[in-house]
């Protein structure tokens, strides 16, 4: 049996660290075609400052997001989000787990993310 015990803080990073992250990402995406974000909800990249700082550089890039529920509304502009079906239903406020409600959830999520522009 393997056991893992972590202690972590999910407080947002401080401003100097945030500026370094924004700068590093902007530099990296200059030669990239896409930005892939896997959100672990650890306090990086969710402030309005960091989202605005990255938005300008991402207009011509695909932005692919593996979201955490708590931060779902932070994913703008997103080309693709990949919530699992339970997350999609929760975000859309739907209860029933069926093909019909999953399609409804996808349509609601798509409309929501499209409407929330910077």
């Amino acid at each position: 049996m393997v056991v893992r015990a972590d202690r972590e803080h999910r407080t947002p990073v401080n401003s100097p660290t945030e500026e370094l992250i924004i700068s590093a990402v902007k530099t990296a995406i200059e030669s990239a075609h896409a930005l892939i974000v896997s959100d672990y909800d650890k306090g990086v990249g969710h402030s309005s400052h960091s989202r605005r700082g990255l938005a300008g550089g991402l207009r011509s890039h695909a932005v692919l997001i593996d979201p955490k529920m708590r931060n779902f509304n932070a994913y703008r502009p997103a080309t693709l989000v990949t919530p699992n079906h339970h997350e999609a239903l929760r975000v859309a406020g739907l209860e029933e787990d069926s093909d019909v409600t999953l399609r409804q959830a996808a349509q609601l999520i798509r409309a929501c993310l499209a409407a929330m522009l910077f």
Side-chain angles (χ1 to χ4, degrees), residues 103-114:
R103 276 192 293 279
Q104 289 173 337
Q107 291 168 344
L108 288 167
I109 290 167
R110 187 177 186 185
C112 176
L113 291 175

Side-chain angles (χ1 to χ4, degrees), residues 37 39 44-48 50-52 54 58 63 65 67-78 81 112-113 116 118:
V37 177
D39 182 358
V44 176
H46 293 295
S47 77
S48 61
S50 63
R51 290 193 309 265
R52 278 192 310 272
L54 292 175
L58 295 176
V63 180
I65 308 288
K68 282 289 188 231
M69 295 301 300
R70 194 163 82 120
N71 304 318
F72 203 89
N73 287 327
Y75 304 121
R76 303 176 308 266
V81 292
C112 176
L113 291 175
M116 296 181 188
F118 286 93

Side-chain angles (χ1 to χ4, degrees), residues 9-110:
H9 300 281
R10 293 187 340 190
T11 56
V13 297
N14 61 36
S15 291
T17 301
E18 184 178 44
E19 291 296 332
L20 288 171
I21 293 168
I22 291 169
S23 178
V25 171
K26 282 183 172 181
T27 299
I29 64 173
E30 287 176 6
S31 61
H33 298 286
L35 174 66
I36 300 171
V37 177
S38 187
D39 182 358
Y40 291 94
D41 196 17
K42 305 299 182 198
V44 176
H46 293 295
S47 77
S48 61
H49 173 70
S50 63
R51 290 193 309 265
R52 278 192 310 272
L54 292 175
L58 295 176
R59 294 285 181 216
S60 61
H61 290 73
V63 180
L64 312 150
I65 308 288
D66 181 19
K68 282 289 188 231
M69 295 301 300
R70 194 163 82 120
N71 304 318
F72 203 89
N73 287 327
Y75 304 121
R76 303 176 308 266
T79 307
L80 174 75
V81 292
T82 62
N84 65 38
H85 74 279
H86 295 295
E87 292 168 333
L89 290 171
R90 279 194 313 222
V91 165
L94 300 171
E95 298 284 328
E96 182 185 338
D97 187 354
S98 70
D99 289 346
V100 171
T101 56
L102 286 173
R103 276 192 293 279
Q104 289 173 337
Q107 291 168 344
L108 288 167
I109 290 167
R110 187 177 186 185

